[in-house]
Amino acid sequence: MMSSTSFSQEKIFLPPPKKSKFSLDEALDVRKSIRDYPSLPLTLEGVSNLLWAGYGKNRWGRKTVPSAGALYPIFLYIVVGEVEGLDKGIYLYNSGEHTLTKLSSEDTRFQLARASLNQRWVKTAPLLIIISADFSITTSHYGKRGVRYVWMEIGYVSQNIYLEATALKLATVAVGAFYDEEVKEILNIKKEPLLIMPVGRPKEGRW
Ligand SMILES: Cc1cc2nc3c(=O)[nH]c(=O)nc-3n(C[C@H](O)[C@H](O)[C@H](O)COP(=O)(O)O)c2cc1C
């Protein structure tokens, strides 16, 4: 039997997302931002579901979010602190393949928290999802108007991650307050970081 994590050409194949029975209305009803995460690891299955919900492919071969002109300018990076079956480090999500590419073995949560005005939850979360974009993908087609399209698309992705985290009984918050250039330098990326979403388990009894 193949293990849930298998390596080939530096790619990590994520387990297929499990479709839960948690209803959309229930998720909308109980969602909230949560910033306190006890020091407990996430599962690889949880990471798989969160990334799939944020920017994965659905049964029609479409993504889980709309995109102006179907241009798809968003890129999801993750910083792994404590995830069962995944080494610490920085990874890029390849949404078409539902795989991760490892970019670095560095646990950069502490530096990212400093670049985020010392927001504690950026340091303590076992996982950070960095929603970033290449604006030129959309502006080369739509000109200046493409900028607003990219901002809108970030919102769809973030809300999907919020709702999926809720359905998985995990906790998250959208963090928009950070120094862009510092975050790019820490992650060694050229894409524009627009939101950092720390994810953890909620404190017992929170939900
Ligand atoms: C664009 C955006 C940026 C945000 N930035 C931060 C942030 O830097 N730090 C933080 O703790 N929360 C941040 N939040 C979360 C809001 O504070 C939170 O959504 C708001 O207080 C409402 O609470 P709720 O999400 O629990 O309904 C941000 C939310 C949005 C939509």
Side-chain angles (χ1 to χ4, degrees), residues 31-33 35 119 121 162 173-177 195:
R31 72 145 299 278
K32 60 184 171 183
S33 297
R35 299 173 179 81
Q119 297 191 59
W121 31 99
Y162 257 112
V173 57
V175 169
L195 281 175

Side-chain angles (χ1 to χ4, degrees), residues 109-128:
R109 289 175 295 169
F110 186 79
Q111 294 102 296
L112 288 168
R114 281 193 17 190
S116 310
L117 294 81
N118 290 313
Q119 297 191 59
R120 182 178 29 86
W121 31 99
V122 177
K123 189 171 52 189
T124 55
L127 174 78
L128 303 177

Side-chain angles (χ1 to χ4, degrees), residues 63-76:
K63 286 202 201 288
T64 53
V65 291
S67 177
L71 292 171
Y72 301 106
I74 312 288
F75 296 82
L76 298 186

